[in-house]
Amino acid sequence: MPTSQPEASGPSEDRATPDDLLHARTGTEVSPEDIVLASGKDLTPGNLEWAKRKLAAEGPSALDKLLP
């Protein structure tokens, strides 16, 4: 029975992932729907209004703040 060996090309445990690789935004416009979905909420009229206010106050960085 073969033993499992860690992949040589796998991620190193002693290095952090660069910040620019962690963000999912692709340079496109951020929509209120994006904000609602990133927050884990359902797409309801109330949540969309909340997202519109959040987007107006924080700009596109509102999405970055919600994503890991």
Side-chain angles (χ1 to χ4, degrees):
M1 179 149 115
T3 59
S4 68
Q5 295 288 329
E7 291 289 323
S9 62
S12 172
E13 295 296 324
D14 62 341
R15 291 187 301 157
T17 302
D19 195 43
D20 61 333
L21 295 178
L22 294 175
H23 297 285
R25 193 159 37 103
T26 60
T28 60
E29 292 296 316
V30 176
S31 71
E33 289 85 0
D34 295 332
I35 301 290
V36 171
L37 294 174
S39 70
K41 299 178 181 181
D42 292 328
L43 287 172
T44 65
N47 288 340
L48 287 170
E49 285 303 316
W50 164 80
K52 287 177 187 176
R53 291 190 305 272
K54 186 169 184 65
L55 194 53
E58 300 177 22
S61 67
L63 183 62
D64 291 334
K65 293 176 185 176
L66 291 169
L67 297 175

